[in-house]
Amino acid sequence: MSAPADPMLPRDDGRAVLVEPLAAVTLTTGNLAAARRFYQGALGMSPEFHRVEGEAATRLAAHWGLPTQAAYEYVRLFRPGLEGALQIRLVAVDSALPTKRPALDSRFDGPLGVGYPVRDLKARNVVVEALGFGSTAGLTLMAFPRADGSTYDIGEVHWVAPDDVMVLGVDRAHLQPVGPIDAAIDIGGPAYSSTLISDAARFAPFFGEVLGFELRREFTFQSEGPSGGMRLPAGTQVHFQQWFAPGSRSGYLVVMQLLQNALRPPAPLAASGRGIALWSFPTLDLEATLLRARAHGTAVLQDAAWIETPGVGSVRSAVLATPDGFPVEIYQR
C-alpha cells in the first residue's frame, strides 16, 4: 500500500492567483551586527547593503510605519539561485525600542518568526550555537496528522534570533521540504512566516478572500509544556493552520491560535517596535486586491503609492492591516 499523500502538496482545484506567495519579511533590529551574524553567518544568507536617507527614508518610513529616523541602515538578505525562498529585510532602529514579543513569549498575539528548510538539523545547530545563539528546547520531533488519521514526525529546532524572533529549522525527512534547499549547504532560505492570532474564524476572510490563499492544513495540537519549543503552559491547546497561495509550495503562512492562556500584545503590532515588522506579498493586480480588501472591511493603512524599495526597485505598494492590526504590504512591480 502506498503512503498517504503529503498534506502540504498543492491542490489541483484551478483556483486563480491574485496575490502571490509571501516574498519578504521585514525585521526591525536594535543590533544589526547580531542580526547579520544570525541570518547571514549562522543560516548562510547572502547580504546586499543599502543606506536609505533623506526623502526616500521619510517616504519609506511613512509607508511601512517605521520609527522615524533621518536614515536607515538596511540589509537585504537572500538565497541566490533558490526560486521561492523569502528575503529577509533588516532595518536598523534604536536598540531602546521594545520588542513585540518580550522574552519570546508565545502567549502574545502577533508575528512569531520564520521557518527554514534544513536537511541536517544537528549539523546546522552546531553552526548556530558556535556563533553564540541558542534554541528554546533543542532538537525536537513534532507529530503532524494526515487526512486519513495517521501521523508522521518532523524534526524541528526553535532558534532564538535577535530582537525576540523565533526561527525554526525544519527537516521533513523523506517528504517535500517546506521550501527549496541549497544542496551545497543543506539549508534553504526562509520558506514561511508564523504568527499567533486572536481568532482564526475572524482571520479566515482576510487570508482566504482578500489574499485569495487556500487553507491547506488545519488541526489542533497540545503543548508539551515549558520544555517544548514554544514554552507554553503544559496542555495548552493550539489551533494550527497553513495558508498557501494557490499552486505554491513555499512562501506560506503558519497561523496559530491559543485556545487557552492567550495574551493581548503588549504594544501595537505596527513596525514601531523591534522584531517582525511587515509581510510583503506581490500581486498581479493591486487595484483588484484593494477592491477585495475594502469589500471585506479590511483596514487600508496606506493607499497605493509608488515606493522605492531597496533591492527591489520602484513598486506600486499599499499596506493593509490584518484583523489584529499587523501591517501587510501588497505590491505590484
Side-chain angles (χ1 to χ4, degrees):
M1 180 185 296
S2 62
D6 184 344
M8 282 186 61
L9 294 178
R11 299 173 184 168
D12 185 18
D13 60 4
R15 179 186 283 207
V17 176
L18 177 60
V19 176
E20 298 180 277
L22 180 64
V25 177
T26 300
L27 303 174
T28 43
T29 178
N31 189 334
L32 187 59
R36 284 187 55 203
R37 191 167 71 251
F38 181 81
Y39 297 101
Q40 182 183 340
L43 302 186
M45 299 190 76
S46 296
E48 181 181 280
F49 304 99
H50 300 267
R51 180 177 173 82
V52 186
E53 54 191 347
E55 178 62 23
T58 301
R59 285 176 56 80
L60 195 64
H63 195 70
W64 285 0
L66 298 171
T68 302
Q69 296 177 186
Y72 298 93
E73 299 301 325
Y74 180 113
V75 182
R76 183 177 76 94
L77 295 164
F78 58 98
R79 181 76 72 198
L82 289 189
E83 184 177 353
L86 308 183
Q87 297 177 25
I88 296 288
R89 300 166 174 168
L90 299 176
V91 181
V93 297
D94 188 342
S95 61
L97 289 172
T99 66
K100 297 176 184 168
R101 190 168 293 283
L104 205 59
D105 193 329
S106 294
R107 294 172 299 168
F108 290 118
D109 291 334
L112 179 64
V114 293
Y116 285 70
V118 181
R119 279 215 179 91
D120 188 337
L121 284 175
K122 185 176 180 180
R124 180 54 52 178
N125 196 52
V126 168
V127 175
V128 173
E129 290 183 344
L131 286 170
F133 301 100
S135 63
T136 59
L139 276 63
T140 63
L141 288 178
M142 173 75 179
F144 278 87
R146 296 185 176 97
D148 66 355
S150 64
T151 63
Y152 59 95
D153 289 336
I154 296 301
E156 294 183 342
V157 58
H158 299 66
W159 290 307
V160 180
D163 306 293
D164 290 330
V165 175
M166 180 181 287
V167 174
L168 264 72
V170 183
D171 185 352
R172 299 190 82 230
H174 61 285
L175 297 174
Q176 174 78 30
V178 295
I181 293 177
D182 185 336
I185 55 175
D186 285 339
I187 186 172
Y192 66 86
S193 187
S194 58
T195 188
L196 288 151
I197 63 172
S198 61
D199 184 343
R202 193 162 63 98
F203 268 71
F206 178 79
F207 293 127
E209 298 174 40
V210 176
L211 299 186
F213 278 27
E214 62 185 30
L215 177 57
R216 203 167 288 174
R217 181 156 59 176
E218 181 175 32
F219 61 92
T220 298
F221 69 87
Q222 183 170 290
S223 167
E224 296 180 357
S227 62
M230 293 180 67
R231 295 173 171 168
L232 292 168
T236 301
Q237 297 288 316
V238 183
H239 190 68
F240 180 99
Q241 298 178 333
Q242 289 173 318
W243 291 88
F244 286 75
S248 67
R249 294 173 179 263
S250 188
Y252 61 96
L253 301 175
V254 167
V255 177
M256 293 172 283
Q257 179 188 349
L258 303 189
L259 303 182
Q260 309 96 28
N261 304 311
L263 297 174
R264 297 299 300 154
L269 297 182
S272 54
R274 291 187 288 123
I276 295 183
L278 187 76
W279 288 333
S280 294
F281 296 84
T283 180
L284 301 175
D285 189 332
L286 180 59
E287 296 306 324
T289 306
L290 286 172
L291 282 173
R292 274 192 189 182
R294 291 189 170 100
H296 286 88
T298 298
V300 178
L301 301 179
Q302 295 292 330
D303 214 336
W306 286 101
I307 294 294
E308 188 69 26
T309 303
V312 176
S314 185
V315 297
R316 189 157 173 79
S317 165
V319 180
L320 310 178
T322 69
D324 279 349
F326 180 65
V328 174
E329 180 189 31
I330 310 293
Y331 68 92
Q332 184 171 4
R333 295 182 186 274

